[in-house]
Amino acid sequence: MVDASEYEKDRASVNLISDLRAQGIGDRRVLDALAAVPRDKFVSPELVSEAYRNEVLPIECGQTISQPFIVAYMTEKLGVEPSHEVLEIGTGSGYQAAILALLTRHVYTIERHAPLLDQARARLKALGFENVTARCGDGTKGWPE
């Protein structure tokens, strides 16, 4: 038997993908990645019920998890391929890194807030993302090596 909360989460995810299509996101790989990554795992427990709304949500350190449309739009415009490596500046919750990890060979992500980075690493590890390397640092200085 399916847990009612899992059913609601699945329904909310389907509705979100439908909304993104209606807003012009057409790349099937991007939509599939957004459908596959459980956004509720990247928000605080008190915001889980809002995780699949197409809205910006607050996270720790005064930062935010981007609106799903923005994540989808940016990812679609990048035109990433499975052989690509990507440098992400500002790991935040790790949500965008997870999306990119499904679409590319490797993601390098840098975050200046150590508590955010620690949480993102834990989330990505728990979800089985092995092609993401994360470090704490100033993204304006890039990742020289």
Side-chain angles (χ1 to χ4, degrees):
M1 182 165 181
V2 176
D3 179 329
S5 63
E6 284 299 310
Y7 172 77
E8 289 298 321
K9 181 183 97 167
D10 290 345
R11 197 170 102 198
S13 179
V14 167
N15 290 341
L16 174 61
I17 299 306
S18 178
D19 289 348
L20 294 175
R21 271 194 201 102
Q23 289 182 295
I25 303 300
D27 186 319
R28 185 75 195 154
R29 290 179 62 237
V30 171
L31 292 168
D32 288 348
L34 268 88
V37 174
R39 191 170 188 249
D40 59 300
K41 303 295 185 196
F42 293 86
V43 300
S44 59
E46 61 272 7
L47 294 176
V48 165
S49 65
E50 299 178 44
Y52 294 95
R53 292 184 182 171
N54 195 9
E55 298 175 1
V56 173
L57 296 173
I59 59 174
E60 291 77 6
C61 301
Q63 303 299 303
T64 59
I65 181 173
S66 295
Q67 174 185 4
F69 173 77
I70 297 301
V71 172
Y73 183 81
M74 290 188 308
T75 305
E76 187 173 64
K77 292 302 178 192
L78 277 174
V80 295
E81 296 294 333
S83 63
H84 288 171
E85 293 181 332
V86 176
L87 172 60
E88 175 192 36
I89 308 297
T91 310
S93 68
Y95 182 65
Q96 177 75 69
I99 300 295
L100 291 168
L102 290 177
L103 299 169
T104 64
R105 184 165 60 92
H106 201 89
V107 177
Y108 296 90
T109 183
I110 189 166
E111 174 57 55
R112 65 187 172 119
H113 297 288
L116 281 180
L117 184 64
D118 292 343
Q119 292 171 9
R121 279 182 176 148
R123 287 180 184 114
L124 293 165
K125 182 178 180 181
L127 292 169
F129 289 99
E130 296 180 7
N131 63 333
V132 178
T133 303
R135 91 164 31 155
C136 191
D138 181 351
T140 65
K141 296 179 180 173
W143 192 306
E145 62 277 14

